[in-house]
Amino acid sequence: MIDRALDNCSSTVTPSSDSLHPLQQVALNWIAFWQGRDVVFAVDVTASVRLDDQGRLRIEQIIRDAINRGDTVYIAPFADTIEVTNIREVTSEEDIDEVLTEIPLEPDPDRANTDIQNAELFTYQFLAQQNHCRLVENDGIREQAVVWLTDAPLETETGDEWIETPADSPFRDVDSSESQLRRDWLEALPREARSRRIPTGDDEFYDLTIVDIPPTLQEFCTPAPSGEEVCFINRYLFQQLWLPTTSVLVFFVTAITLLGFWYSWQKPWRLTIELEAEEKEDYPVKFLKSNQRLAIGDQDASATDYIECPGNEIRAYLERKRNQLYLIPTQEAPIFYKDKEVTTRTKITGKRLRFNCPENKKDFEFVVKID
């Protein structure tokens, strides 16, 4: 099943002279990251390209490695003319095997005279049209690639003739509309080419060339009232990216918030025990982490430290749970918080906590300062 955008598209794309801003290109790359690719296998089927067994094996391996699941493969044999003869969506290894059987690696005895410039115009315009239709229908654009199997030279200057170019080809005329359109597309589409020499059946060689085309669109801007312009791509980027961008922002804000909570839970509290009988510089200092507690009264094996109070009893525990602090009385001796006796587990708040540990009608008060 081919993209819905391509089925519904009747708009024809033309080369644009408006260049993309680097940020626009980054956004287009991000959109295409979630899509497959368009891969065209443009195969010269004239007799000048005859693969021996080694060459065929290498081609098949390159093809197998070049296709990924999610790609759309277009097979385009060419000689004096070119057309797409097979289209296949790759969803499994079986689809890749089918592509290998569909690519014509044997010459066609009825085809001759490679019109390579015609093949280039058709292929690059065809690929640009696919992404243009996705733009029109607000679908995700794709990264694209052309795998050229030919002995003809690629991307020659407009008007340069290849020995096999048919005599009636418009590409023999440098001023023909076809020659100018090919030149415009070569200028409009960013491309990166890589080649490898492949042996033919006559102990000769030709180049297998892969041309990668980053996800790109042709931008068209027209004047609008109040000195503004109406352009295609910014609107398309907004329609494509507002939801994922919002989702990513929400995710990062949530992650940062949760990380902040987690960090605050891990950070030890510094508790200064202020006693009336002690000088300020002699106040004891305790540290308390989450899920730890301090005993009030005397030492205890279940507590990390303790706060001294009169008597040998453990009157209560100060227990930290994440960023909450609780006073847990033991009922062995009274403990007062804010002049009120505490008899049950109680959540306490504030940065200065005042406690009383009465002993034989004498009051013993201390203040816990939390930093």
Side-chain angles (χ1 to χ4, degrees):
M1 181 64 67
I2 304 306
D3 291 352
R4 174 179 56 83
L6 309 187
D7 292 335
N8 299 337
C9 178
S10 59
S11 173
T12 301
V13 67
T14 56
S16 170
S17 58
D18 293 324
S19 59
L20 299 182
H21 189 278
L23 291 179
Q24 289 179 316
Q25 188 59 60
V26 169
L28 292 176
N29 291 344
W30 199 83
I31 293 171
F33 179 80
W34 308 101
Q35 314 297 325
R37 298 175 302 167
D38 292 328
V39 182
V40 174
F41 287 93
V43 183
D44 188 338
V45 294
T46 62
S48 60
V49 180
R50 292 191 298 272
L51 295 172
D52 60 13
D53 291 341
Q54 179 189 357
R56 186 174 290 103
L57 180 63
R58 291 175 65 181
I59 289 291
E60 290 179 355
Q61 186 59 52
I62 290 170
I63 291 171
R64 189 177 294 278
D65 292 343
I67 303 174
N68 300 321
R69 293 186 183 185
D71 291 347
T72 300
V73 174
Y74 306 88
I75 299 175
F78 68 92
D80 54 337
T81 60
I82 182 173
E83 61 179 339
V84 173
T85 59
N86 286 285
I87 303 174
R88 182 173 292 274
E89 295 282 349
V90 177
T91 59
S92 65
E93 288 295 325
E94 289 75 15
D95 291 325
I96 297 177
D97 292 336
E98 289 294 327
V99 169
L100 287 171
T101 64
E102 293 166 355
I103 294 177
L105 297 181
E106 294 289 343
D108 184 343
D110 298 326
R111 304 288 297 274
N113 299 326
T114 301
D115 195 342
I116 186 60
Q117 293 184 344
N118 178 58
E120 287 178 312
L121 172 58
F122 173 89
T123 303
Y124 292 128
Q125 186 167 250
F126 173 83
L127 287 175
Q129 185 68 43
Q130 310 313 300
N131 274 342
H132 178 73
C133 288
R134 295 177 181 118
L135 164 70
V136 170
E137 294 297 322
N138 194 33
D139 283 347
I141 68 166
R142 291 184 168 200
E143 179 183 352
Q144 299 174 317
V146 186
V147 181
W148 292 100
L149 284 78
T150 181
D151 63 339
L154 297 172
E155 301 190 11
T156 56
E157 291 292 331
T158 302
D160 286 356
E161 296 182 8
W162 164 238
I163 189 173
E164 295 183 23
T165 303
D168 58 350
S169 170
F171 295 93
R172 285 187 174 273
D173 180 3
V174 68
D175 295 322
S176 69
S177 59
E178 291 85 354
S179 291
Q180 296 303 312
L181 186 58
R182 170 184 170 272
R183 182 201 63 192
D184 292 343
W185 275 119
L186 291 178
E187 292 177 353
L189 286 179
R191 300 172 314 286
E192 181 178 343
R194 294 167 291 128
S195 297
R196 177 65 60 86
R197 305 302 302 276
I198 303 295
T200 71
D202 297 327
D203 293 328
E204 296 178 350
F205 294 87
Y206 73 97
D207 289 333
L208 177 141
T209 301
I210 297 178
V211 178
D212 292 312
I213 304 173
T216 189
L217 292 169
Q218 301 303 300
E219 176 67 291
F220 299 96
C221 296
T222 55
S226 303
E228 297 180 355
E229 283 188 322
V230 175
C231 301
F232 283 92
I233 291 183
N234 283 341
R235 180 179 61 183
Y236 169 76
L237 294 177
F238 175 78
Q239 293 171 331
Q240 284 287 313
L241 296 178
W242 75 267
L243 181 58
T245 299
T246 302
S247 301
V248 169
L249 288 175
V250 170
F251 170 80
F252 275 110
V253 169
T254 303
I256 290 172
T257 301
L258 293 177
L259 185 61
F261 279 126
W262 179 85
Y263 176 77
S264 67
W265 297 339
Q266 304 304 312
K267 182 180 179 181
W269 286 354
R270 186 176 188 273
L271 278 58
T272 302
I273 315 303
E274 300 181 357
L275 304 170
E276 292 184 1
E278 300 286 348
E279 297 293 334
K280 184 175 182 180
E281 57 270 14
D282 296 328
Y283 288 160
V285 175
K286 313 292 182 181
F287 292 92
L288 192 61
K289 297 180 180 180
S290 180
N291 297 319
Q292 291 182 342
R293 60 184 183 174
L294 299 175
I296 298 177
D298 202 353
Q299 295 183 4
D300 183 78
S302 66
T304 58
D305 206 339
Y306 72 102
I307 301 172
E308 294 188 62
C309 271
N312 297 322
E313 306 88 0
I314 298 175
R315 297 173 181 259
Y317 297 99
L318 276 178
E319 185 177 66
R320 178 184 171 188
K321 290 293 185 181
R322 294 181 177 174
N323 285 342
Q324 304 296 333
L325 190 63
Y326 297 88
L327 181 64
I328 306 172
T330 64
Q331 310 297 338
E332 294 182 15
I335 181 77
F336 286 79
Y337 171 60
K338 293 184 177 180
D339 298 323
K340 181 178 179 180
E341 185 175 2
V342 178
T343 58
T344 60
R345 177 187 175 95
T346 302
K347 179 181 177 180
I348 55 180
T349 59
K351 293 295 185 181
R352 291 178 62 84
L353 312 173
R354 184 166 57 87
F355 299 92
N356 297 86
C357 301
E359 175 73 12
N360 296 327
K361 298 183 180 180
K362 294 182 180 180
D363 188 34
F364 181 85
E365 180 179 283
F366 66 91
V367 174
V368 176
K369 180 184 175 184
I370 303 176
D371 296 318

